[in-house]
């Protein structure tokens, strides 16, 4: 009888401490989709004139939790330096806003690589271009 009582106390203690012991919850939500990226600005194939500063804005969403966002802007002139930024995120919705100063006033095409990753490793990548005339 003492063994059954001890076993019941241990089971109750394990169930009560499952969060501290990192035991899985069998009815918990399982993330199975990658994050989404909404490009606000600059848009794909957008042309700019008369400005050397480009506004950057991207809306990120995940049905569970975002982990990171990275951005690379690569000028078509390989002698110019690229712009890169990486942000660590701990939320399901995030808006990235920044400004990019064009490295040259010459007409040029810029390649934009963006990626978002959620906390379980699912990722989304997008590549697009904009030009300066």
């Amino acid at each position: 009888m003492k063994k059954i009582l001890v076993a019941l106390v241990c089971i109750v203690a394990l169930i009560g401490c499952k969060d501290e012991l990192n035991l899985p919850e069998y009815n918990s939500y399982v993330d199975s989709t990658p994050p989404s990226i909404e490009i606000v600005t600059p848009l794909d194939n957008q042309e700019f004139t008369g400005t050397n500063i480009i506004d950057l804005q991207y809306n990120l969403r995940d049905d569970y939790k975002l982990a990171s966002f990275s951005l690379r802007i690569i000028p078509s002139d390989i002698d110019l330096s690229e712009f890169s930024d990486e942000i660590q995120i701990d939320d399901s919705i995030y808006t990235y806003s920044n400004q990019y100063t064009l490295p040259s006033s010459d007409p040029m095409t810029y390649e934009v690589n963006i990626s978002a990753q959620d906390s379980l490793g699912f990722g989304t990548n997008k590549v697009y271009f904009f030009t300066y005339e």
Side-chain angles (χ1 to χ4, degrees), residues 23-75:
L23 296 175
E25 291 184 30
Y26 292 104
N27 62 350
S28 66
Y29 173 76
V30 177
D31 183 10
S32 62
T33 59
S36 66
I37 301 172
E38 176 192 5
I39 300 169
V40 178
T41 184
L43 298 173
D44 190 15
N45 296 318
Q46 187 171 358
E47 293 182 4
F48 293 93
T49 57
T51 183
N52 66 338
I53 297 176
I54 307 297
D55 289 325
L56 307 171
Q57 185 173 345
Y58 305 100
N59 295 327
L60 313 170
R61 292 181 179 274
D62 188 61
D63 56 349
Y64 184 63
K65 190 181 286 190
L66 294 160
S68 66
F69 171 75
S70 64
L71 167 70
R72 285 179 58 208
I73 301 176
I74 307 163

Side-chain angles (χ1 to χ4, degrees), residues 31 33-35 62 65 67 116-124:
D31 183 10
T33 59
D62 188 61
K65 190 181 286 190
Q117 192 168 24
D118 68 15
S119 60
L120 294 179
F122 293 108
T124 300

